[in-house]
Amino acid sequence: MPRYTGTKRAILDATLELAATKGITGTTMDEVAERAGVAKGSLYYNFSSKDRLFEELLQEGVGALADTLLEARAGLHGRAALEALIGALLDGIASNTALAKLMASEIFRTDRTWQRTLFALRHEALAVFAEAIAEARPGSRDNGTCGLMASSVFGAVLMSGLEWLVFDPERHRDEVSAAILDSFSGGLLGD
Amino acid sequence: MPRYTGTKRAILDATLELAATKGITGTTMDEVAERAGVAKGSLYYNFSSKDRLFEELLQEGVGALADTLLEARAGLHGRAALEALIGALLDGIASNTALAKLMASEIFRTDRTWQRTLFALRHEALAVFAEAIAEARPGSRDNGTCGLMASSVFGAVLMSGLEWLVFDPERHRDEVSAAILDSFSGGLLGD
DNA sequence: GTCTATACACCGATAGAC
DNA sequence: GTCTATCGGTGTATAGAC
């Protein structure tokens, strides 16, 4: 995954900030150029189209998230691996809230030109959770069930994380983390 | 019992179907008119603007969801109330997937003219979960924590429900339900 | 590589006939 | 209440100077 610098970096950063609040379709190339401090012509020199610009943005962002999750799980097993993944995802959302908002709003859209790219990356990130779940309870669950449970955990962290950061930023990170862990530790439906 | 009938109903239905795949900003009034089988002028006779059209659409949809959740919880307590809520939300997502996709993509946006309307309705739906959670374990958790856990459950059901309906529709509803309930019953982090 | 200027299609909204 | 026709504004993308 290539890391960009210079003009491309400035354009991608401006694009992400704008898209997080206005959405992708609602973000114009004129606004991106202005925020990035370049002319519109430079946008099209560095990225062949608006679609390609957003495809590269999502590729970089979601790819980095998948890498973060892989690192967080490394060397850990069972319950410890899952707790580390939940914490790492929550921290990832906190440190790149713009990307998280963008992911939440784009992840279930099926009309984009970059649909297949985003689908593969999303699958990659979810697979880290699914594998950790499968390993935690070997033999007792099929792959599909582990995938669903991975979605369940991912959705829980994404939603409560954004709830915190967007609507209730005063709250402390550890409160959010504790509420999520409590939910999945049987605090809601357990015994 | 639909609040609207006739032309307004046709327009709202067409709007929802289009917006579920193309997003709100990506849906044009010309497309809505064509799909609804009316002329564009009729759109503006029945709804004063594009923003108002979508505000009424979300108001109707999310309001109906909140009512469904209230009914599902009625008369139930503790674990049974939470399980009923999870099942009702999953069924609501399945029977109105277009609305669920729209909610997922709009719920964390803060630049819309109808922001306050959607925020209030979202809060209403989440409050049903939060109250059920608070009641299930009285005294042990503050309101904020119950709200976070409500987001957690809501996000888990929304994400795994859409994962099922959008990317893996062959799967049976009860498998999805079982995976969610298992996750929150301690199947992931419990003992 | 980055700029300015512009082509040209599209979209939200309105006016007025029926 | 619904239609057709149209206006003004805006958006993506390109051409060509520097």
Side-chain angles (χ1 to χ4, degrees):
Chain A
M1 188 81 46
R3 187 77 187 168
Y4 297 107
T5 55
T7 303
K8 282 202 169 192
R9 179 79 270 136
I11 292 171
L12 287 168
D13 290 345
T15 305
L16 179 57
E17 280 180 64
L18 286 167
T21 54
K22 307 166 72 78
I24 292 181
T25 314
T27 299
T28 71
M29 296 297 265
D30 285 273
E31 289 171 321
V32 172
E34 189 187 351
R35 162 94 54 141
V38 299
K40 189 157 59 163
S42 297
L43 264 47
Y44 287 92
Y45 177 81
N46 287 281
F47 302 92
S48 57
S49 69
K50 182 182 179 181
D51 275 350
R52 281 290 303 164
L53 168 57
F54 276 98
E55 179 167 1
E56 294 200 36
L57 177 68
L58 287 167
Q59 208 159 354
E60 182 186 52
V62 182
L65 176 64
D67 291 346
T68 301
L69 294 178
L70 263 179
E71 279 177 39
R73 192 197 156 199
L76 299 176
H77 300 278
R79 183 187 167 121
L82 271 169
E83 287 189 0
L85 281 175
I86 289 171
L89 178 55
L90 188 62
D91 290 338
I93 292 168
S95 65
N96 199 344
T97 309
L99 178 75
K101 287 174 77 173
L102 205 55
M103 266 189 57
S105 64
E106 287 293 321
I107 216 165
F108 291 115
R109 289 195 55 170
T110 51
D111 66 322
R112 302 292 205 188
T113 59
W114 59 73
Q115 185 195 334
R116 295 189 65 82
T117 305
L118 184 57
F119 180 87
L121 287 165
R122 186 190 60 101
H123 190 76
E124 200 178 306
L126 280 173
V128 184
F129 275 94
E131 282 161 23
I133 291 169
E135 194 217 54
R137 306 289 172 107
S140 70
R141 295 190 192 99
D142 61 294
N143 281 347
T145 301
C146 292
L148 281 169
M149 294 176 93
S151 289
S152 190
V153 179
F154 199 97
V157 178
L158 184 61
M159 180 103 177
S160 44
L162 285 176
E163 180 85 22
W164 158 43
L165 294 158
V166 176
F167 296 118
D168 195 13
E170 312 293 308
R171 194 168 287 277
H172 193 275
R173 182 263 186 205
D174 291 340
E175 288 181 87
V176 185
S177 173
I180 296 169
L181 291 175
D182 193 5
S183 301
F184 286 108
S185 298
L188 290 178
L189 297 176
D191 26 277
Chain B
M1 43 169 138
R3 196 169 137 204
Y4 297 106
T5 54
T7 302
K8 280 201 170 192
R9 180 79 270 137
I11 293 171
L12 287 167
D13 290 344
T15 304
L16 180 57
E17 281 180 62
L18 287 166
T21 54
K22 306 165 73 79
I24 291 181
T25 315
T27 298
T28 71
M29 295 298 265
D30 285 272
E31 290 170 322
V32 172
E34 190 188 351
R35 161 91 58 137
V38 299
K40 188 158 62 164
S42 297
L43 263 48
Y44 286 92
Y45 176 82
N46 288 282
F47 301 92
S48 56
S49 70
K50 183 182 177 180
D51 275 350
R52 282 289 303 163
L53 169 57
F54 276 98
E55 179 166 1
E56 294 200 34
L57 178 68
L58 287 167
Q59 207 159 353
E60 183 187 51
V62 183
L65 176 64
D67 291 345
T68 300
L69 293 177
L70 263 179
E71 281 177 37
R73 192 197 158 199
L76 298 176
H77 301 278
R79 183 189 168 121
L82 270 170
E83 288 190 0
L85 281 175
I86 289 172
L89 178 55
L90 188 62
D91 290 338
I93 292 168
S95 65
N96 200 345
T97 309
L99 178 76
K101 288 172 75 171
L102 204 55
M103 264 188 57
S105 64
E106 288 293 322
I107 217 165
F108 291 115
R109 289 195 53 168
T110 51
D111 65 322
R112 302 292 205 189
T113 59
W114 60 74
Q115 186 195 333
R116 294 188 65 82
T117 305
L118 183 58
F119 181 87
L121 286 166
R122 187 191 61 100
H123 189 76
E124 201 177 306
L126 279 174
V128 184
F129 274 93
E131 283 161 22
I133 291 169
E135 194 217 54
R137 305 288 173 108
S140 70
R141 298 193 191 95
D142 62 293
N143 281 346
T145 300
C146 291
L148 280 170
M149 294 177 92
S151 289
S152 191
V153 179
F154 199 96
V157 179
L158 184 61
M159 181 102 176
S160 45
L162 285 176
E163 180 84 22
W164 157 44
L165 293 158
V166 176
F167 295 119
D168 194 12
E170 311 293 307
R171 195 168 286 276
H172 193 276
R173 182 263 187 205
D174 291 340
E175 287 181 86
V176 185
S177 172
I180 297 169
L181 291 175
D182 193 4
S183 300
F184 286 108
S185 298
L188 291 179
L189 297 177
D191 25 282

Short mmCIF file of all heavy atoms in Angstrom, two decimals, chain B residues 2 5 7 17-18 21 29 31 33 40-41 53 56 58 93 110 119 122 124 128 136 152 158 171 178:
data_model
loop_
_atom_site.label_atom_id
_atom_site.label_comp_id
_atom_site.label_asym_id
_atom_site.label_seq_id
_atom_site.Cartn_x
_atom_site.Cartn_y
_atom_site.Cartn_z
N PRO B 2 -49.97 3.31 6.51
CA PRO B 2 -49.18 4.40 5.97
C PRO B 2 -49.83 5.75 6.23
O PRO B 2 -51.03 5.92 6.09
CB PRO B 2 -49.15 4.10 4.47
CG PRO B 2 -50.16 3.05 4.22
CD PRO B 2 -50.63 2.51 5.52
N THR B 5 -51.03 8.62 1.41
CA THR B 5 -51.62 7.79 0.36
C THR B 5 -51.51 8.51 -0.97
O THR B 5 -51.06 9.66 -1.04
CB THR B 5 -53.11 7.51 0.65
OG1 THR B 5 -53.77 8.77 0.85
CG2 THR B 5 -53.28 6.65 1.89
N THR B 7 -50.60 10.06 -4.45
CA THR B 7 -49.38 10.57 -5.08
C THR B 7 -48.23 10.71 -4.09
O THR B 7 -47.09 10.33 -4.39
CB THR B 7 -49.66 11.93 -5.74
OG1 THR B 7 -50.72 11.78 -6.70
CG2 THR B 7 -48.43 12.43 -6.46
N GLU B 17 -36.59 3.91 -2.48
CA GLU B 17 -35.89 2.90 -3.29
C GLU B 17 -34.65 3.46 -3.96
O GLU B 17 -33.60 2.83 -3.98
CB GLU B 17 -36.84 2.34 -4.35
CG GLU B 17 -37.83 1.31 -3.82
CD GLU B 17 -38.75 0.80 -4.92
OE1 GLU B 17 -38.24 0.21 -5.88
OE2 GLU B 17 -39.98 1.03 -4.82
N LEU B 18 -34.79 4.65 -4.52
CA LEU B 18 -33.65 5.26 -5.21
C LEU B 18 -32.54 5.64 -4.23
O LEU B 18 -31.37 5.38 -4.46
CB LEU B 18 -34.10 6.50 -5.98
CG LEU B 18 -34.91 6.20 -7.25
CD1 LEU B 18 -35.60 7.45 -7.76
CD2 LEU B 18 -34.01 5.61 -8.32
N THR B 21 -29.95 3.00 -2.86
CA THR B 21 -28.80 2.57 -3.66
C THR B 21 -27.92 3.74 -4.09
O THR B 21 -26.70 3.60 -4.16
CB THR B 21 -29.23 1.80 -4.91
OG1 THR B 21 -30.16 2.60 -5.65
CG2 THR B 21 -29.90 0.49 -4.53
N MET B 29 -34.27 14.68 -8.45
CA MET B 29 -35.72 14.85 -8.48
C MET B 29 -36.30 14.33 -9.80
O MET B 29 -37.44 13.85 -9.84
CB MET B 29 -36.07 16.32 -8.26
CG MET B 29 -35.67 16.83 -6.88
SD MET B 29 -36.50 15.98 -5.51
CE MET B 29 -37.88 17.08 -5.20
N GLU B 31 -35.22 11.67 -11.42
CA GLU B 31 -35.32 10.21 -11.25
C GLU B 31 -36.51 9.84 -10.37
O GLU B 31 -37.24 8.88 -10.66
CB GLU B 31 -34.04 9.66 -10.63
CG GLU B 31 -32.83 9.70 -11.53
CD GLU B 31 -31.54 9.38 -10.77
OE1 GLU B 31 -31.39 9.81 -9.61
OE2 GLU B 31 -30.68 8.69 -11.36
N ALA B 33 -39.25 11.50 -9.93
CA ALA B 33 -40.48 11.73 -10.69
C ALA B 33 -40.74 10.57 -11.67
O ALA B 33 -41.85 10.05 -11.76
CB ALA B 33 -40.39 13.05 -11.45
N LYS B 40 -42.21 16.13 -12.68
CA LYS B 40 -41.40 16.77 -11.65
C LYS B 40 -42.16 17.88 -10.93
O LYS B 40 -41.99 18.09 -9.72
CB LYS B 40 -40.11 17.32 -12.26
CG LYS B 40 -39.13 17.82 -11.22
CD LYS B 40 -37.70 17.86 -11.70
CE LYS B 40 -37.48 18.79 -12.86
NZ LYS B 40 -36.03 19.09 -13.03
N GLY B 41 -43.03 18.56 -11.66
CA GLY B 41 -43.83 19.61 -11.03
C GLY B 41 -44.66 19.10 -9.87
O GLY B 41 -44.85 19.79 -8.87
N LEU B 53 -38.71 16.71 1.29
CA LEU B 53 -39.10 15.36 0.86
C LEU B 53 -38.34 14.31 1.65
O LEU B 53 -38.94 13.37 2.20
CB LEU B 53 -38.83 15.19 -0.64
CG LEU B 53 -38.92 13.78 -1.22
CD1 LEU B 53 -40.28 13.15 -0.98
CD2 LEU B 53 -38.62 13.80 -2.72
N GLU B 56 -39.33 14.24 5.44
CA GLU B 56 -40.58 13.52 5.71
C GLU B 56 -40.39 12.02 5.55
O GLU B 56 -40.97 11.22 6.28
CB GLU B 56 -41.69 14.03 4.79
CG GLU B 56 -42.06 15.48 5.09
CD GLU B 56 -43.45 15.87 4.57
OE1 GLU B 56 -44.35 15.02 4.57
OE2 GLU B 56 -43.61 17.03 4.14
N LEU B 58 -37.59 10.27 6.10
CA LEU B 58 -36.87 9.75 7.27
C LEU B 58 -37.74 9.80 8.52
O LEU B 58 -37.70 8.89 9.35
CB LEU B 58 -35.58 10.54 7.48
CG LEU B 58 -34.48 10.23 6.46
CD1 LEU B 58 -33.37 11.25 6.53
CD2 LEU B 58 -33.92 8.83 6.70
N ILE B 93 -35.24 -4.39 9.93
CA ILE B 93 -34.22 -4.19 8.92
C ILE B 93 -34.49 -5.06 7.70
O ILE B 93 -34.34 -4.63 6.56
CB ILE B 93 -32.82 -4.48 9.50
CG1 ILE B 93 -32.46 -3.43 10.55
CG2 ILE B 93 -31.77 -4.52 8.40
CD1 ILE B 93 -31.23 -3.79 11.38
N THR B 110 -23.82 15.51 9.95
CA THR B 110 -24.19 16.66 10.77
C THR B 110 -24.40 17.91 9.93
O THR B 110 -24.46 19.01 10.46
CB THR B 110 -23.09 16.92 11.82
OG1 THR B 110 -21.83 16.99 11.16
CG2 THR B 110 -23.05 15.82 12.86
N PHE B 119 -31.94 13.33 14.48
CA PHE B 119 -31.29 13.09 15.77
C PHE B 119 -32.32 12.70 16.83
O PHE B 119 -32.13 11.73 17.58
CB PHE B 119 -30.53 14.34 16.22
CG PHE B 119 -29.82 14.18 17.53
CD1 PHE B 119 -28.53 13.67 17.58
CD2 PHE B 119 -30.44 14.54 18.72
CE1 PHE B 119 -27.87 13.51 18.79
CE2 PHE B 119 -29.79 14.38 19.94
CZ PHE B 119 -28.50 13.87 19.97
N ARG B 122 -33.69 9.14 16.09
CA ARG B 122 -32.66 8.15 16.40
C ARG B 122 -32.56 7.97 17.91
O ARG B 122 -32.49 6.85 18.42
CB ARG B 122 -31.32 8.63 15.84
CG ARG B 122 -30.18 7.64 15.94
CD ARG B 122 -28.88 8.36 15.59
NE ARG B 122 -28.65 9.45 16.54
CZ ARG B 122 -27.81 9.35 17.56
NH1 ARG B 122 -27.11 8.26 17.75
NH2 ARG B 122 -27.66 10.37 18.38
N GLU B 124 -34.86 8.48 20.06
CA GLU B 124 -36.07 7.81 20.52
C GLU B 124 -35.94 6.29 20.38
O GLU B 124 -36.29 5.53 21.30
CB GLU B 124 -37.24 8.31 19.67
CG GLU B 124 -38.61 8.13 20.27
CD GLU B 124 -39.66 8.74 19.33
OE1 GLU B 124 -39.53 9.94 18.97
OE2 GLU B 124 -40.58 8.01 18.95
N VAL B 128 -35.32 3.21 23.65
CA VAL B 128 -36.07 1.99 23.96
C VAL B 128 -35.10 0.88 24.39
O VAL B 128 -35.34 0.18 25.38
CB VAL B 128 -36.90 1.51 22.75
CG1 VAL B 128 -37.74 0.29 23.13
CG2 VAL B 128 -37.79 2.62 22.22
N ALA B 136 -32.95 -4.01 33.07
CA ALA B 136 -32.47 -5.39 33.25
C ALA B 136 -31.46 -5.50 34.39
O ALA B 136 -31.37 -6.52 35.06
CB ALA B 136 -31.85 -5.89 31.94
N SER B 152 -24.24 0.06 21.17
CA SER B 152 -23.49 -1.14 20.87
C SER B 152 -24.40 -2.22 20.27
O SER B 152 -24.11 -2.79 19.21
CB SER B 152 -22.83 -1.64 22.16
OG SER B 152 -21.91 -2.64 21.90
N LEU B 158 -27.66 -3.73 13.34
CA LEU B 158 -27.71 -3.05 12.04
C LEU B 158 -26.63 -3.56 11.10
O LEU B 158 -26.88 -3.86 9.93
CB LEU B 158 -27.54 -1.53 12.26
CG LEU B 158 -27.67 -0.64 11.02
CD1 LEU B 158 -29.03 -0.77 10.38
CD2 LEU B 158 -27.39 0.82 11.38
N ARG B 171 -28.45 -16.73 3.36
CA ARG B 171 -28.47 -17.17 4.75
C ARG B 171 -29.86 -17.03 5.38
O ARG B 171 -30.65 -16.17 4.99
CB ARG B 171 -27.46 -16.32 5.53
CG ARG B 171 -27.08 -16.85 6.87
CD ARG B 171 -25.87 -16.08 7.38
NE ARG B 171 -24.67 -16.47 6.67
CZ ARG B 171 -23.94 -17.54 7.00
NH1 ARG B 171 -24.28 -18.30 8.02
NH2 ARG B 171 -22.87 -17.84 6.32
N ALA B 178 -29.28 -15.86 15.78
CA ALA B 178 -28.55 -16.69 16.73
C ALA B 178 -27.13 -16.17 16.96
O ALA B 178 -26.63 -16.16 18.09
CB ALA B 178 -28.52 -18.14 16.25
#
